[in-house]
Amino acid sequence: MKNKVKISIAIPVYNGGILLEKSLKILYSSTNNKKFNNFYELVISDNASTDNTKETIIKYKKKLKINKIPVKYYRRKKNIGFYQNFIKTIKLATGDYILFMCDDDHPCGNFYDEIFNLFNNNDYKKLCFLPIAKNTAFKNKLSLNIFGYVLTRGSITSGVILNKKKISLKNLRPTLYPQTIIYLNYFLKYGMINLNLKSKIKQIETKKISDKFGHKGDRVNRKDDFAVLDKIKIAEMFYNLKKIN
């Protein structure tokens, strides 16, 4: 019987070939060690990319095989939006835990070593947030309103680890932030923790804000409000559910 992996690294992607290649290069160079055997797997759901995403994944699938990192690659025939593409990564994952990442967020330092050291002999039931390098807005902001913290931090897909068996798709609805709903569901049942890693995730900034937000260049189809209204609707949904219950 094939050994089950500990952590699935889940990346939804669309036209992120150049950024994804850098991310996979980091994974490859960081896991060239026998101790990682059967610990990580890479799961990618490709939303019908038209750039070099497919070629990049095929290239690194071969390279990561040398490091005993299996790669599951699913490619859609047409782009059906971030919502379904993100959910697909959860369905593809087979690890005990899922580490959610984006192609444009890159780990620094000994990121994968630190996660290995934390999760190899320990079990975490709570939602685990990993540190984001440039996002000072989340540093030491655990005020009385922890729900608001999870809502805001959870809008960043990357750097979140959940126990796969405990993930619930309850209350899901089409939104540009399906991960936020999933993270909130998890937090309300199991709580959350900020893992104190020395290594952080660096968010790559595009040269033009229109490349990512508000215009045709936006890969997840955010509009001029930067999808803030989606987050407000999610907060209202959970507030109303609390009143009903």
Side-chain angles (χ1 to χ4, degrees):
M1 183 176 177
K2 188 176 181 180
N3 292 331
K4 185 178 180 181
V5 299
K6 189 75 170 183
I7 294 182
S8 300
I9 304 166
I11 305 178
V13 64
Y14 172 66
N15 282 354
I18 295 176
L19 294 169
L20 181 64
E21 179 157 16
K22 181 176 180 180
S23 183
L24 298 186
K25 184 177 181 180
I26 293 171
L27 176 61
Y28 171 70
S29 61
S30 300
T31 57
N32 189 15
N33 189 310
K34 290 183 179 180
K35 73 177 182 180
F36 293 107
N37 287 3
N38 301 313
F39 188 83
Y40 289 114
E41 73 170 359
L42 177 64
V43 172
I44 298 177
S45 182
D46 180 1
N47 222 350
S49 296
T50 57
D51 64 351
N52 67 328
T53 292
K54 180 179 178 180
E55 290 75 17
T56 297
I57 295 169
I58 292 174
K59 170 185 174 182
Y60 275 91
K61 184 175 182 178
K62 295 178 181 178
K63 292 171 74 72
L64 287 166
K65 185 177 181 180
I66 300 172
N67 290 5
K68 302 297 172 79
I69 309 292
V71 177
K72 293 181 180 177
Y73 175 43
Y74 177 84
R75 176 178 168 83
R76 298 186 183 278
K77 294 182 179 180
K78 65 177 182 179
N79 187 331
I80 61 172
F82 177 74
Y83 174 81
Q84 291 292 348
N85 202 40
F86 175 79
I87 301 302
K88 184 64 178 180
T89 63
I90 297 175
K91 295 179 178 179
L92 288 171
T94 62
D96 294 328
Y97 297 87
I98 302 180
L99 164 60
F100 294 99
M101 295 293 290
C102 289
D103 54 42
D104 57 354
D105 294 333
H106 298 157
C108 302
N110 297 317
F111 180 82
Y112 290 109
D113 275 282
E114 290 192 65
I115 292 176
F116 174 84
N117 292 334
L118 285 174
F119 282 82
N120 190 37
N121 296 309
N122 298 298
D123 290 320
Y124 290 87
K125 294 181 180 179
K126 295 182 179 181
L127 177 151
C128 299
F129 282 135
L130 307 180
I132 303 292
K134 295 185 66 175
N135 210 318
T136 56
F138 300 114
K139 186 177 181 180
N140 298 324
K141 294 296 183 180
L142 280 179
S143 62
L144 295 177
N145 189 359
I146 300 179
F147 178 90
Y149 172 84
V150 177
L151 173 70
T152 306
R153 171 61 180 87
S155 65
I156 300 175
T157 305
S158 293
V160 180
I161 300 180
L162 305 180
N163 185 308
K164 189 191 175 182
K165 288 184 178 180
K166 299 182 185 302
I167 292 176
S168 171
L169 302 184
K170 182 181 178 182
N171 304 321
L172 267 183
R173 58 189 63 184
T175 172
L176 291 177
Y177 291 101
Q179 77 278 12
T180 306
I181 297 176
I182 291 173
Y183 298 165
L184 284 169
N185 276 332
Y186 197 102
F187 156 70
L188 290 172
K189 190 167 184 179
Y190 302 106
M192 62 76 62
I193 184 173
N194 283 316
L195 293 182
N196 188 25
L197 271 64
K198 293 181 180 179
S199 304
K200 295 177 174 61
I201 297 170
K202 182 178 180 182
Q203 294 183 287
I204 306 301
E205 295 180 354
T206 53
K207 293 181 180 180
K208 298 179 180 178
I209 196 167
S210 60
D211 290 340
K212 195 169 185 179
F213 295 107
H215 300 283
K216 293 181 179 180
D218 179 20
R219 291 187 291 149
V220 294
N221 199 29
R222 279 167 285 213
K223 298 180 181 179
D224 291 335
D225 66 346
F226 298 175
V228 170
L229 290 179
D230 283 55
K231 284 188 276 189
I232 293 174
K233 289 177 181 178
I234 290 171
E236 289 177 341
M237 178 185 71
F238 277 92
Y239 175 75
N240 291 329
L241 287 171
K242 182 178 180 180
K243 288 199 301 182
I244 293 172
N245 297 328

